[in-house]
Amino acid sequence: MIVQPQKKRSRRQDLAYSVLFAGLWVIASTIVAMLPMRLQFPPGIVLVIVAPALIVWLGYDFGWFFSVLGFAAFASMFRNPIRHYWQRWTGRGDDE
């Protein structure tokens, strides 16, 4: 049996796709933040919906600690919309 030496993998092959998509998500969220307020809502909702799946994917690739860090960053970035919708869903108005 002939054993062939393993090919050395390039650094490009070592990149996890979850990191690539997380970087693209960050760039997209930065661009959305620069839009006027009236144009932020539709792409912002897409970013909010995609974020949990991306956080879980990062956790799957790199461990639960990175999922916790990703969730903390997500909650920090979207704290005002999360607070607003939490108050609407729980029936508490803005007047409290």
Side-chain angles (χ1 to χ4, degrees):
M1 182 163 110
I2 299 173
V3 177
Q4 298 204 0
Q6 290 182 345
K7 291 182 182 179
K8 187 170 181 163
R9 291 175 23 170
S10 69
R11 291 194 56 79
R12 185 176 184 138
Q13 291 174 335
D14 290 339
L15 177 68
Y17 286 115
S18 59
V19 174
L20 176 68
F21 284 109
L24 292 173
W25 186 92
V26 168
I27 291 168
S29 64
T30 303
I31 292 169
V32 168
M34 289 188 281
L35 292 173
M37 239 1 218
R38 61 183 163 74
L39 299 177
Q40 286 182 1
F41 189 77
I45 290 297
V46 172
L47 289 170
V48 168
I49 291 170
V50 170
L54 188 56
I55 291 169
V56 170
W57 190 14
L58 284 168
Y60 178 78
D61 284 349
F62 298 103
W64 66 270
F65 182 72
F66 289 99
S67 283
V68 171
L69 287 177
F71 179 74
F74 169 75
S76 174
M77 286 175 58
F78 287 93
R79 66 185 170 272
N80 289 332
I82 291 171
R83 184 182 309 130
H84 172 75
Y85 286 110
W86 179 260
Q87 288 176 350
R88 285 184 69 184
W89 291 330
T90 58
R92 289 186 271 161
D94 292 329
D95 54 338
E96 289 185 29

